[in-house]
Amino acid sequence: MTGQSDAGGGRSNRQGKRRRKRRRKRRCKRCRLDDLECGECARIEDVDRECLRSMGVRPGKTVEVHTKHPFGGPVVVSVGRSTVSLSRSQARDLEVATEE
């Protein structure tokens, strides 16, 4: 035997282990940047175009939609401290995740 027993003055499992905080699992909805409405924020998941990466639009960054111009016009977003104007086709290529 190992010599460990609960009756002989050893700590029970409840006293010996620290309680861990339970984190609420966040549910994320994946969509395209073009699907977001004005004022919504999301986290960038995937960038297909190299030109977007050079503008600072990279995976893991938070993006906020400021305006969506009508008739297929550009989408104005902020990424970090920068404000970027994207065409609708570029906005369709960006995959983002929003918290529900």
Side-chain angles (χ1 to χ4, degrees), residues 51-94:
C51 63
L52 295 177
R53 291 176 191 252
S54 66
M55 288 191 283
V57 181
R58 294 188 174 95
K61 296 238 179 175
T62 303
V63 63
E64 180 182 358
V65 178
H66 287 288
T67 58
K68 290 175 75 173
H69 293 274
F71 307 112
V75 179
V76 180
V77 298
S78 64
V79 180
R81 290 192 238 167
S82 303
T83 302
V84 181
S85 178
L86 304 172
S87 67
R88 289 288 172 125
S89 64
Q90 289 174 329
R92 274 186 233 114
D93 288 342
L94 278 175

